[in-house]
Amino acid sequence: MNRLIQQTRKLFLSAQGGMFSSALILGFMIIVSRIFGFIRYRALAGYFNKDQLDIFFASFRIPDLVFELLITGALTSSLIPIYIKYQKNEKERREVTYSIFNFLSVILIVLILILLPFLHILIPFITPGFSGEKLSEIVYFSRILLLGQLPFLVLGNFFTGVAQARKLFLATAIPPIIYNLSVIIATFLFASRFGLTAPIVGINIGAALFAVIQLPAIWDEIINWRPIFVFHEGVKEFFTIIGPRLLTILVSQIDATIDLTLTTLLGSGAYTIFYFAQHLQLLPVSVIGMAFGQASLPYLTEMVESKKDEDFSRIITESLLNIFFLTLPISVYFIFARTPLVRLFFGGEKFDWDATVQTAFLLSYFSISMPFHAAYYFLTRCFYALLDSKTPFVNSIIGVGLNTVFSLIFVLVFKLPVWSLGISFSLAITIQVFILFALLRKKTPIKVLPFILSLSKIAVAAIVSAPIPYVVIKLLDNLLLDTTRTINIVLLLAVSCLIYFLLYLFVSWLIGVSELYIITNLLIKTKDYKKKIIEINTSYD
């Protein structure tokens, strides 16, 4: 038993050696985490109707805004390059790391103290379609989340930033699973008695566990923590980097708030429908795009520091093609299998058929841009590795502007239902990716024509493989399986998914999609997971 514990601890605290191996570990753990996340949604849909879920999800809007500013804006992409820069000098590294953490903690406390007294004014402003008791409950739960969940999530994600800078990706991938599990257990055990309070309390407990579980991975780094505020060159550089990054996140949060505002005008349950469809679309984006983005930043940063321009360019091209190779078929599958997917993930007792159909329509429009959405996360990390956070900021302003304009036109002018917000998002994110790619070409020598040719082959393989599994879904759903039962929905999706992806791999092989070789070669060589992406690309060439 002692040996098992020691081996488990060694695996948990081991550093990953390459970008692809890191992305694989992150991707796998994100899949597991997302599975628990959707079990959480399924549990919520089983205990609460869409009106109640509007309250639940809207309660996160203000806390999420603060969280995204402090974490996604400051830590996820800005701390890692600074930490790596000073990692060889322990004294400097700790001064910089502790000072950054202390400054962010002060900012967090100030923001909470400012927001708490004004939530009863802010919430009605951003949810004009809600009123009465619904608004009161959103304000109440928002306060609980600001005081209970937010501090622990900020602390836990600071730990995550340090651990990922040290390439301890496995240690940072497990806590989100525990977070979701806490909410699931609280909902199953106490929702019948305490209503929405049960999952809210579960979220607060999960946030605390999220931070505590990561302590072993970075204990040697934080054990000597001191309440210092040193204006070191690294601290100044950190805040220089996060300036535009914070504005980028603020813009995206404004975008998310506009979505909430518009959905409150589209009738009861519209925000829940939007939230569910958006998060189901984010499943493959998280697994592939975010995993590549998180795993790539330390390696891209190292190559920029070493001035390996050719390797940097090659990683960008190969990573983008691999992202498209993985996400394009998923995008197509989500479009033609949209209804059974929604029924599987959100088919709770209280989630009615009308909500299912609307969520399915919205999911299909979100899915159109899934490959571009995944690529967006990777492309922004390329700019952060170049210590350029201004370009993603300007790009995000353009994206939010486009999304807002499209959404306002669809909802207020054409009076379209909630699924129109999926179209506006897809148009905006696609334009953003084209802009980022074009600007990145000016900084590194990317060969465009070979890239377009490879991408075209991937698209052909994904589309050509779709008709047969689509017909299979229709036949199974209407003739052979009683899809009112969850197990039969699982069977239907499993059969159609297997047929589709086998066809996709066959067609990819038939027309010579080179990414098929790279992925299979990588899987064969999993035992050599410490080899870096350059080795894989070189062996292919």
Side-chain angles (χ1 to χ4, degrees), residues 369-445:
S369 63
M370 186 185 294
F372 296 100
H373 195 183
Y376 173 81
Y377 287 102
F378 176 76
L379 287 172
T380 54
R381 266 58 178 190
C382 293
F383 284 95
Y384 297 142
L386 293 164
L387 299 182
D388 176 6
S389 52
K390 293 180 181 179
T391 298
F393 168 61
V394 175
N395 181 265
S396 68
I397 291 179
I398 294 172
V400 170
L402 289 171
N403 191 19
T404 302
V405 170
F406 292 146
S407 298
L408 290 172
I409 292 173
F410 291 153
V411 172
L412 300 181
V413 178
F414 294 114
K415 307 295 182 182
L416 295 176
V418 67
W419 52 256
S420 63
L421 298 179
I423 300 176
S424 61
F425 172 82
S426 290
L427 288 171
I429 196 70
T430 302
I431 293 171
Q432 282 182 268
V433 168
F434 274 103
I435 293 173
L436 284 175
F437 185 76
L439 294 174
L440 192 59
R441 274 196 66 215
K442 295 181 178 180
K443 296 176 178 288
T444 186

Side-chain angles (χ1 to χ4, degrees), residues 272-437:
T272 296
I273 290 166
F274 177 86
Y275 190 93
F276 276 167
Q278 185 184 54
H279 280 71
L280 185 49
Q281 180 263 161
L282 278 173
L283 174 60
V285 172
S286 301
V287 171
I288 299 168
M290 293 182 184
F292 264 89
Q294 289 179 28
S296 66
L297 187 56
Y299 302 99
L300 291 171
T301 302
E302 287 176 358
M303 289 184 182
V304 171
E305 290 283 331
S306 304
K307 298 182 179 179
K308 296 179 180 178
D309 295 338
E310 289 297 325
D311 290 342
F312 184 72
S313 174
R314 179 178 294 189
I315 284 182
I316 291 172
T317 303
E318 295 294 344
S319 296
L320 283 173
L321 287 174
N322 286 329
I323 288 171
F324 279 106
F325 179 75
L326 294 169
T327 54
L328 255 171
I330 299 174
S331 170
V332 173
Y333 184 76
F334 269 47
I335 291 172
F336 70 76
R338 60 194 181 191
T339 303
L341 281 169
V342 171
R343 291 166 69 189
L344 174 65
F345 286 106
F346 309 122
E349 184 180 339
K350 299 292 183 70
F351 202 65
D352 58 37
W353 179 248
D354 177 64
T356 298
V357 172
Q358 290 190 61
T359 306
F361 268 108
L362 182 52
L363 174 64
S364 64
Y365 291 119
F366 270 131
S367 298
I368 293 171
S369 63
M370 186 185 294
F372 296 100
H373 195 183
Y376 173 81
Y377 287 102
F378 176 76
L379 287 172
T380 54
R381 266 58 178 190
C382 293
F383 284 95
Y384 297 142
L386 293 164
L387 299 182
D388 176 6
S389 52
K390 293 180 181 179
T391 298
F393 168 61
V394 175
N395 181 265
S396 68
I397 291 179
I398 294 172
V400 170
L402 289 171
N403 191 19
T404 302
V405 170
F406 292 146
S407 298
L408 290 172
I409 292 173
F410 291 153
V411 172
L412 300 181
V413 178
F414 294 114
K415 307 295 182 182
L416 295 176
V418 67
W419 52 256
S420 63
L421 298 179
I423 300 176
S424 61
F425 172 82
S426 290
L427 288 171
I429 196 70
T430 302
I431 293 171
Q432 282 182 268
V433 168
F434 274 103
I435 293 173
L436 284 175
F437 185 76

